[in-house]
Amino acid sequence: MTAIRNQYMVPYFHQGWKLFAPDVPATQYELNYRYSKEGTWSDWGESETFDPISSHPRLAYVAQKLQMYLAMDMKKNLTFNPDSTINYDLVVNDVPYMRVLYFAVRRHEMLTTERPDSIQLRMHVVFTPSFDSGEQRPAQFFEFPVYTFNQ
Amino acid sequence: MSAEVNAPATARLFRIAAYSWMLLNALYFFTIRDMLWGPYSIGMSAHPDQSVGINIAYVLDHVREYAVPAYFAYMAALVCCLVGWFKWIPKVVVFVVGWMLYYAFIPAFNSSYLLYQVFAFFLIGVDEKATSTFSIVLTNVGMLACRIQFLMVYALAGMFKLLGRTWLEGSSVYYALHLDHFTWPWLRDLLVSQKWLMLISNYFGLIYQLAFPLLIWFKKARVPLFIAGIAFHGFIGAAMRLPEFGLAMIFGYTLFFDEALSQKVLRKVRLARTAP
């Protein structure tokens, strides 16, 4: 019964009414990326808009949703190395990171009509000032390992 | 004793409202259909381990070549549902292909689409002109199921909010307005400094969602609930950049219109079957 439920009932009848529940997030995420071509790295750039190909608001919505899935995965799977640096191994081998990477690469290909030699993603986490005190935690950056394409 | 369809004008109005929302939502994707569903989509396959053999809903995630034609078939089926052509066949197409499109690019959709997919299932059996006992029962049960589903949305969304901290302390609207992708910066700058406004709008939203499933059964409460709901969802739709979400809930109110109001609305939009 469980198998049947998972195969048929969940795909056709699932609902999700947890927007802004139980809590509204007090953080927001912005994904930046940079790429290298023939040994030269670009500056960090944002990864949400598709101007001038399209300025449809749903594309930014998609980018933000993918970033949110990645942020949720980072909360679960980021670990620390013995030297206190962040270990990204679990995250970069998981589906949310692969989706974001795929999205960034496809976006780059659409906008520039070429594939970079390497690409690197960076998650920028911004904290909302506290409702009560107005205090704001400083922003955090998480730089993922460089992804190099096979030539 | 003869069976009859309960509130046929309301069933007709809701059917038109629901399929209109689905068509508007589909048209919203028109200019980016290839980017979402085409062979060179910006989205990676979400179900690499779930074959079509397991569930046909995943088929377009594997066979991208057919996704954009399926999108056009979906819209054609929606038009048939609105006009009333081919009885239940286009309704089944809307339900099944609607899920195929969803699973071919999940991040493009939000909860309002999921709600209308469930409506699409219950609407398969809804026929306001039904004459056979079986069809009449299907119509009445389908409309009741849609109403229950709609009320569950408010009840569950409200109850989940009670489990958190921000809704109870009154800070949820403040934090929501700080999410750049959900608001307009000029609106945030205008509103967030008004703490009293943040508190009132927070508790209004919470109480409205919890109260709606209870109060809607009282006839005198309906019109005030609809007016408050249009303001509530209108604000969410416009200010938080979720127009389809706001419209989805507002269109859903037609489920609770009484027969006289439904006939009046149908006459206004010139979709009434018979003159009064």
Side-chain angles (χ1 to χ4, degrees), chain B residues 6-26:
Chain B
N6 296 332
T10 301
R12 176 170 167 76
L13 180 62
F14 173 66
R15 177 175 62 78
I16 292 168
Y19 286 120
S20 296
W21 182 89
M22 291 182 228
L23 187 59
L24 284 172
N25 190 54

Side-chain angles (χ1 to χ4, degrees), chain A residues 7 16 23 56 58 65 106, chain B residues 40 55 108-109 111 165 244:
Chain A
Q7 283 176 21
D23 281 316
H56 198 293
R58 191 43 59 111
K65 227 171 179 182
R106 290 288 301 123
Chain B
Y40 302 103
N55 196 319
F109 298 96
S111 300
R165 178 182 59 84
E244 81 278 31

Side-chain angles (χ1 to χ4, degrees), chain A residues 19-133:
Chain A
L19 180 69
F20 298 150
D23 281 316
V24 178
T27 50
Q28 54 182 330
Y29 310 100
E30 185 186 316
L31 198 80
N32 307 136
Y33 84 109
R34 63 177 188 160
Y35 59 94
S36 80
K37 193 75 184 169
E38 294 165 0
T40 308
W41 280 95
S42 68
D43 293 330
W44 289 104
E46 58 87 33
S47 64
E48 291 183 1
T49 60
F50 282 75
D51 292 333
I53 292 175
S54 173
S55 55
H56 198 293
R58 191 43 59 111
L59 296 173
Y61 177 90
V62 167
Q64 288 144 13
K65 227 171 179 182
L66 293 174
Q67 291 163 25
M68 195 185 67
Y69 294 152
L70 176 59
M72 286 160 61
D73 196 54
M74 287 167 68
K75 278 183 189 167
K76 273 193 308 187
N77 290 329
L78 276 186
T79 56
F80 286 96
N81 294 314
D83 61 356
S84 299
T85 55
I86 295 173
N87 185 320
Y88 291 92
D89 288 354
L90 288 174
V91 175
V92 299
N93 286 301
D94 213 347
V95 172
Y97 175 78
M98 291 178 202
R99 281 190 196 162
V100 167
L101 185 69
Y102 185 92
F103 180 88
V105 172
R106 290 288 301 123
R107 177 182 175 277
H108 182 84
E109 287 175 343
M110 282 181 176
L111 294 175
T112 65
T113 65
E114 62 178 21
R115 172 165 288 193
D117 299 332
S118 304
I119 191 166
Q120 186 178 22
L121 303 182
R122 181 178 73 176
M123 181 70 95
H124 178 198
V125 183
V126 179
F127 297 91
T128 303
S130 163
F131 180 64
D132 296 321
S133 64

